[in-house]
Amino acid sequence: MVENTPNPFRINSGNNRVYTTFAIELTSLSLAQAPSPLSPEIEQKVNAILSKITLEQKVDMLGGINTLDVRGYPELGLPLLRTADGPIGVRNDGPATVMAGGISLASTWDPGLAERVGTQIGRDARAKGKHFLLGPGVNIYRSPLNGRNFEYLGEDPFLGSRIAVGYIKGVQSQGVAATVKHYMGNNSDYDRHNTDSVIDERTMREIYLPIFEAAVKEAHVAAVMDSYNLTNGEHLTQNSRMNNEILKKEWGFQGVLMSDWDATYDAVGAANGGLDLEMPSGKFLNREKLLPAIKAGQVAEETINEKVRRIIRTELEFGWPERNQQDLSIPRFNLEARKIALQAAREGIVLLKNDGNVLPFSKSKTKTIAVIGPDAYPAVPVGGGSAQVVPFSSVSLLEGLSNYLAAGAKVTSARGIMTLGVAAIATNFQTEPTNGDRGLKLETFDNEDLSGPSASTGTNQHVSLGLPFDISSIDLDEIDFSSLRTQHGSSKRWTGYYVPKAAGTFNIFVQQGGFSPSGFRMYLDGKLIFDNWENQKFVVAQANLPLSAEPHKVVFEHHTGEGFSPPFIRMGIIPEGGWVDSAAEELAAKADVVVIAVGFTPQSETEGWDRTFELPPGQNELIQRIAAKNKNTVVVLTSGGGVDMTSWLDKVGGVIEAWYPGQEGGTALAEILFGDVNPSGHLAATFERHWEDNPTHDNYYPEKGTNRVVYKEGVFVGYRGYEHNGTKPLFPFGYGLSYTTFKYSNLVADEHEVSFDVTNTGTRAGDAVPEVYISAEQSSVPRPPKELKGFARVTLQPRETQKVKIPLNGRSFAYWSGNAWKVEKGDYDVLVGNSSDQIELRGKINLIRDFVVVYMRTSTGYARADGGSFVQGGAVEPGTRIRIPQRITQDLILTRVQPVYPAEAKAAKVQGSVVLSCRERWKRKVPPCNE
Ligand code: BGC
């Protein structure tokens, strides 16, 4: 207990104004999961190994090898270290369990489940002998367009932190290093190597950094991956401010900071900018570049030592030199993991709409169910790119429903619309306006800009070059990468005429893929209708245009540069009304109920690209046409975030957001559709009605003529932004329907804890997800109308009531003020609800004094001093004695505590370090506890 602790708060909770004065004790420190200590023993061993390595060997260690590995030195007892993607399963070296994607996991609001998912991924990694798992991916969801949202944890830093911490703890519990990625500002996959995310300090601290911060401070994540983009003018791999100052110095990150694959751009910059390990190889961090720089004094030898120290320290902390990382006793076909994958799918799926209780379908009354749509079969467990794990087997919606219903009902099915490949081939051209040949004239150039005479000419029937790049078919350890590379740049021009059979509106689409730099543009009757020559906005681009029944001149130009994956491009023109297979309509008309599975796939939502807000071509039409045949139609969406539903939402009975539900998705969906599982997922991101409504809409792309993406919306991202702007979203953050109903009552709140009762008032068992938001009634800076600061998941039988207690701490009220987490005195509303937009209980907390939240680093981790926890006036005087209550010392070895943030310390007037008393047993065990 702190001597002379003042009474810093007055509380008013709920409607009954109760003023309570109390002393905050050190027990109020909310203790972080203790990182493993910088043990003197390990440090000694690290230094001993370091002293045996030559400078050349040290430099070699800073660059990866074999695409995914970190060099080993068997003679020094250091094994080769192997990495694998992440985050949805263990991608490399054959199949593995495919879990629900990141945003789906976040939508479970279940950190315990995230930990179980992490644990199983850790086991799969051990089964494959992997040391580093390249996940979790935690970049904040700014807009639905980001092609990698499906991997990430949604729009809220608090929710994301809880999920990430659970996941990391799980992975690391298996002796596998988690790698939190992509640090940071990588909130889109548009031109990801070049864009510069311009983010002000407060916004970084409040929105984009907290998940990384929690990963380091709470979960003791062993590795961090620097992203491709620049943030505030500097590529992350050479961004000393982000890497050295914030990550390593302020947060005390002791692990390995690795680059994303080919995200390093400068040797000296990266060496001094904090990067420890360049992946997949030392293109910059190598002898040739670093040795002269060290000699010239541009890079200090100690800087190199420090990087190697981090790599070796991590190896020793995890005990890798002492064991075979491949644990052959763990079955690769991991049945335990399958169960967890199923549970994650069940909890993450969100019921968005259920008009007239169309759901759950009645098992007894449903004799025929029509399953329609491109995402019904085959299964779409995961989006595209490095996250695309191949499962041993996966359950599609069609299979899930068929297995579930067995002989009880007839399951009919149809894809319902053409694939884009078929649509491209169904698009016919002629070489001249009249009397031409079928097809388009093709000119091919040996350069990337269509310059000079063409190297060859000919005729193509269609614009369809190559095939979609399927990363899931690659086993990165065994493939000859050169066969997958485009070795030379080239460009092509197709010229011809499209002649509609009748005038009307036409859907024009272009599909691309892969990771080679490429671009296209398209002219229709001399007018540029797509200009994606320099940069690609969407992996599948689309436009709807009116055309008369005459020949229309088409010029289509494409270029590909050297890079990973062969050229691939397709273009098609389909008249509106021409997409849908009438057999699907027939099946819908005959069925009792219809499920339409639409959305994206790894070919339309993937790393390396962004995606459209519109569903892929033809899908809106499919929903409209099918819904017109059967009013008991439910749409199941596969996507990493919001899509445009305006053209069909009011025409269908139900809508389910399945996200990418992992390999067991079809089973979970069948259980939810028929009510064996009561839906309980809640949106981890706001779904807007129109893309224009999104707070980032006007500044999602770089400012004209620059690479600068200015995060002008500041902290007003997601629900913080919609509420600030007064825009009603289609489905708010935190929203999710259930087949039962919940009632909230008896709110009691103080600055430590919010408690209330939740009752299941319906007739089915179900999980409630109460969400606790805090709202500052007044503030000296503009603050979001409300912010999530706590939540729970409570399983309740019909009529059951449970008391829920949710802890709060200084950060629950704080904003980043210049250089510290500041809490202003005054009234704060405590809002408890079913979503950010459906608040059921309101209370008030009154804080009577301003304070600063100070983080103290201890020998084992962090303690957080909230408010006047430590001493009078928010200042910690040197030598202040604090008696440590027993229950804290069990978790924490407190020795000499120092403010972690010099800036915060200054703001809090902290001078010097604080000597804390240690309990006897710690005194004996821990030498630095020098009392
Ligand atoms: C991705 C990373 C991934 C790495 C290795 C990169 O392209 O951005 O998330 O871990 O590849 O596959």
Side-chain angles (χ1 to χ4, degrees):
M1 190 173 307
V2 177
E3 284 144 33
N4 301 324
T5 301
N7 298 326
F9 294 112
R10 220 173 8 179
I11 304 162
N12 168 26
S13 114
N15 295 326
N16 307 320
R17 196 158 259 266
V18 187
Y19 288 98
T20 315
T21 51
F22 58 94
I24 296 184
E25 301 178 356
L26 194 63
T27 45
S28 71
L29 289 180
S30 148
L31 291 178
Q33 172 72 22
S36 58
L38 267 187
S39 115
E41 201 190 318
I42 287 187
E43 292 308 296
Q44 262 171 20
K45 281 191 191 162
V46 172
N47 286 331
I49 297 175
L50 209 61
S51 68
K52 292 185 203 145
I53 324 183
T54 64
L55 179 60
E56 286 73 13
Q57 284 175 314
K58 289 178 196 166
V59 167
D60 289 348
M61 212 184 226
L62 308 185
I65 53 169
N66 310 334
T67 312
L68 285 161
D69 300 338
V70 182
R71 209 181 290 268
Y73 289 96
E75 66 279 16
L76 297 168
L78 301 178
L80 178 92
L81 303 180
R82 311 182 69 208
T83 75
D85 275 308
I88 287 147
V90 184
R91 180 168 67 90
N92 313 97
D93 285 354
T97 319
V98 184
M99 296 290 179
I103 193 161
S104 169
L105 195 57
S107 298
T108 67
W109 298 60
D110 190 342
L113 177 60
E115 186 167 346
R116 293 195 288 284
V117 164
T119 302
Q120 292 306 327
I121 290 178
R123 290 182 74 229
D124 280 359
R126 289 298 302 275
K128 290 182 172 184
K130 303 291 183 182
H131 301 83
F132 289 90
L133 189 276
L134 305 177
V138 304
N139 299 85
I140 289 286
Y141 179 122
R142 277 182 86 217
S143 116
L145 307 192
N146 181 6
R148 297 189 83 171
N149 278 335
F150 75 89
E151 295 181 50
Y152 301 153
L153 304 177
E155 73 185 27
D156 185 77
F158 181 83
L159 174 61
S161 298
R162 298 305 94 217
I163 298 295
V165 166
Y167 177 104
I168 293 165
K169 279 184 185 171
V171 171
Q172 298 197 160
S173 71
Q174 300 306 302
V176 175
T179 309
V180 67
K181 67 189 188 182
H182 308 85
Y183 186 69
M184 55 80 56
N186 188 182
N187 307 97
S188 100
D189 246 34
Y190 168 82
D191 199 17
R192 62 180 178 172
H193 285 270
N194 301 312
T195 51
D196 179 8
S197 301
V198 181
I199 317 175
D200 66 81
E201 186 73 18
R202 180 178 161 210
T203 301
M204 276 204 305
R205 298 289 185 161
E206 291 186 24
I207 306 291
Y208 297 99
L209 290 179
I211 310 185
F212 292 103
E213 184 187 358
V216 172
K217 288 183 178 176
E218 292 186 54
H220 183 40
V221 73
V224 176
M225 185 190 289
D226 269 337
S227 56
Y228 288 110
N229 55 292
L230 304 86
T231 287
N232 294 334
E234 197 73 81
H235 272 293
L236 266 297
T237 44
Q238 57 199 64
N239 198 320
S240 184
R241 162 111 181 93
M242 300 311 305
N243 298 337
N244 289 327
E245 287 178 36
I246 295 180
L247 178 72
K248 293 185 175 178
K249 220 161 131 200
E250 286 192 16
W251 298 347
F253 174 64
Q254 302 289 353
V256 179
L257 179 56
M258 68 175 78
S259 72
D260 199 340
W261 269 232
D262 285 318
T264 308
Y265 307 89
D266 181 64
V268 173
N272 291 331
L275 186 71
D276 301 320
L277 175 63
E278 180 185 1
M279 294 302 285
S281 64
K283 261 195 215 160
F284 293 91
L285 300 190
N286 60 33
R287 292 185 189 201
E288 203 190 336
K289 293 201 163 63
L290 285 182
L291 294 179
I294 295 166
K295 212 164 168 200
Q298 290 171 294
V299 177
E301 200 172 331
E302 183 45 29
T303 305
I304 306 294
N305 285 341
E306 179 53 22
K307 298 177 195 307
V308 176
R309 204 174 268 133
R310 283 169 178 273
I311 298 170
I312 301 176
R313 175 190 299 139
T314 305
E315 297 192 36
L316 299 186
E317 275 185 349
F318 278 90
W320 293 331
E322 274 106 57
R323 64 161 182 261
N324 184 353
Q325 184 68 356
Q326 185 162 26
D327 184 342
L328 295 171
S329 72
I330 302 173
R332 281 197 174 213
F333 184 64
N334 183 349
L335 289 176
E336 264 180 55
R338 260 191 102 164
K339 280 191 213 148
I340 301 296
L342 177 58
Q343 190 57 21
R346 286 173 178 153
E347 290 191 23
I349 289 166
V350 183
L351 177 61
L352 295 176
K353 175 175 177 176
N354 192 15
D355 266 12
N357 292 332
V358 62
L359 289 175
F361 294 141
S362 152
K363 224 170 162 180
S364 57
K365 289 190 197 140
T366 306
K367 299 288 170 233
T368 309
I369 175 167
V371 183
I372 289 167
D375 287 39
Y377 180 87
V380 194
V382 61
S386 58
Q388 203 180 333
V389 188
V390 182
F392 282 94
S393 67
S394 56
V395 185
S396 65
L397 176 62
L398 178 60
E399 292 159 299
L401 279 168
S402 304
N403 294 340
Y404 178 86
L405 291 167
K410 190 154 73 173
V411 182
T412 59
S413 67
R415 194 176 192 283
I417 50 170
M418 290 174 267
T419 63
L420 297 184
V422 168
I425 286 168
T427 308
N428 292 316
F429 298 95
Q430 56 196 46
T431 55
E432 301 296 338
T434 48
N435 302 326
D437 296 328
R438 270 190 73 151
L440 309 102
K441 287 181 191 156
L442 170 68
E443 302 160 85
T444 300
F445 300 82
D446 273 341
N447 51 63
E448 280 184 61
D449 56 4
L450 303 158
S451 60
S454 55
S456 65
T457 56
T459 307
N460 269 179
Q461 295 296 306
H462 312 285
V463 179
S464 181
L465 173 72
L467 286 171
F469 181 66
D470 184 4
I471 200 167
S472 67
S473 64
I474 299 174
D475 185 320
L476 283 175
D477 277 358
E478 286 162 23
I479 197 106
D480 172 9
F481 265 100
S482 55
S483 66
L484 286 170
R485 285 191 83 84
T486 297
Q487 304 290 1
H488 305 289
S490 65
S491 49
K492 288 186 180 342
R493 180 185 294 124
W494 289 263
T495 309
Y497 291 82
Y498 178 75
V499 192
K501 289 202 177 88
T505 301
F506 289 76
N507 302 149
I508 307 176
F509 73 86
V510 180
Q511 184 186 20
Q512 305 161 84
F515 298 92
S516 302
S518 64
F520 75 94
R521 60 188 162 223
M522 179 170 171
Y523 299 87
L524 194 68
D525 297 325
K527 209 173 125 211
L528 190 60
I529 60 161
F530 288 115
D531 183 5
N532 290 6
W533 191 256
E534 293 296 338
N535 282 312
Q536 310 285 332
K537 281 193 171 162
F538 309 117
V539 65
V540 179
Q542 47 179 320
N544 296 329
L545 290 177
L547 294 179
S548 59
E550 301 157 312
H552 295 274
K553 185 169 182 190
V554 171
V555 177
F556 191 89
E557 297 173 341
H558 176 246
H559 70 93
T560 324
E562 200 213 312
F564 184 46
S565 70
F568 163 58
I569 189 105
R570 314 170 152 145
M571 183 267 284
I573 305 177
I574 302 293
E576 221 172 59
W579 283 100
V580 177
D581 168 12
S582 57
E585 291 178 279
E586 227 174 90
L587 291 179
K590 284 187 191 145
D592 299 314
V593 297
V594 182
V595 183
I596 313 180
V598 291
F600 297 84
T601 67
Q603 264 73 51
S604 50
E605 189 163 28
T606 175
E607 175 188 338
W609 305 79
D610 272 1
R611 57 106 161 144
T612 50
F613 185 55
E614 293 86 35
L615 285 169
Q619 297 192 4
N620 285 338
E621 189 175 310
L622 176 70
I623 301 170
Q624 288 165 22
R625 293 266 289 270
I626 298 298
K629 298 285 177 200
N630 193 320
K631 65 177 178 26
N632 295 323
T633 292
V634 172
V635 172
V636 173
L637 287 167
T638 300
S639 70
V643 303
D644 187 352
M645 305 185 204
T646 46
S647 68
W648 50 260
L649 185 60
D650 59 356
K651 300 184 171 68
V652 300
V655 182
I656 287 177
E657 175 59 62
W659 311 108
Y660 290 87
Q663 64 176 50
E664 308 298 328
T667 303
L669 282 164
E671 293 169 341
I672 285 175
L673 286 165
F674 280 89
D676 285 15
V677 169
N678 194 345
S680 58
H682 286 243
L683 292 180
T686 311
F687 279 12
E688 55 279 85
R689 191 173 300 274
H690 307 286
W691 156 227
E692 291 73 17
D693 298 343
N694 184 291
T696 71
H697 176 266
D698 295 343
N699 47 287
Y700 179 71
Y701 293 110
E703 288 182 338
K704 218 175 163 66
T706 76
N707 65 341
R708 289 162 50 90
V709 179
V710 184
Y711 286 35
K712 287 190 189 144
E713 73 284 359
V715 297
F716 302 105
V717 188
Y719 66 94
R720 292 167 170 80
Y722 291 96
E723 294 188 359
H724 178 73
N725 300 342
T727 312
K728 213 81 193 127
L730 189 58
F731 298 111
F733 172 77
Y735 170 89
L737 299 175
S738 164
Y739 296 148
T740 188
T741 45
F742 301 104
K743 192 177 127 251
Y744 295 88
S745 57
N746 299 334
L747 174 68
V748 178
D750 64 29
E751 85 297 353
H752 292 302
E753 190 177 270
V754 176
S755 77
F756 50 88
D757 292 339
V758 53
T759 306
N760 182 346
T761 47
T763 51
R764 282 170 188 266
D767 283 9
V769 177
E771 303 164 23
V772 175
Y773 296 87
I774 300 287
S775 165
E777 286 197 2
Q778 64 286 306
S779 169
S780 53
V781 298
R783 296 192 64 177
K786 64 167 86 78
E787 296 189 271
L788 183 76
K789 296 298 171 185
F791 60 86
R793 177 179 261 271
V794 195
T795 303
L796 293 164
Q797 298 305 314
R799 287 176 302 286
E800 186 187 349
T801 297
Q802 275 188 37
K803 182 158 291 303
V804 178
K805 292 183 177 179
I806 291 177
L808 300 177
N809 60 53
R811 279 286 280 270
S812 313
F813 306 93
Y815 68 90
W816 183 262
S817 154
N819 53 13
W821 289 106
K822 189 173 174 191
V823 178
E824 288 179 334
K825 66 182 176 197
D827 283 341
Y828 289 81
D829 294 328
V830 180
L831 310 166
V832 181
N834 259 326
S835 81
S836 56
D837 204 29
Q838 193 192 337
I839 299 305
E840 303 285 344
L841 296 174
R842 286 166 194 275
K844 233 182 236 313
I845 297 174
N846 178 261
L847 307 183
I848 61 164
R849 207 181 61 204
D850 292 350
F851 65 87
V852 174
V853 183
V854 184
Y855 282 83
M856 315 295 265
R857 194 189 307 162
T858 71
S859 63
T860 58
Y862 290 86
R864 184 178 51 225
D866 297 338
S869 316
F870 277 142
V871 275
Q872 221 150 2
V876 182
E877 299 298 333
T880 303
R881 282 185 171 276
I882 300 172
R883 190 144 40 84
I884 312 299
Q886 198 160 335
R887 84 180 163 84
I888 287 184
T889 49
Q890 281 165 4
D891 294 339
L892 186 70
I893 306 170
L894 282 163
T895 59
R896 189 172 282 274
V897 176
Q898 288 175 337
V900 175
Y901 298 102
E904 271 189 10
K906 216 169 131 208
K909 300 197 190 68
V910 177
Q911 303 144 22
S913 59
V914 185
V915 180
L916 300 171
S917 59
C918 304
R919 281 176 58 225
E920 275 305 306
R921 64 197 191 99
W922 296 121
K923 221 195 275 178
R924 280 200 305 276
K925 277 190 192 160
V926 187
C929 186
N930 52 357
E931 275 198 289

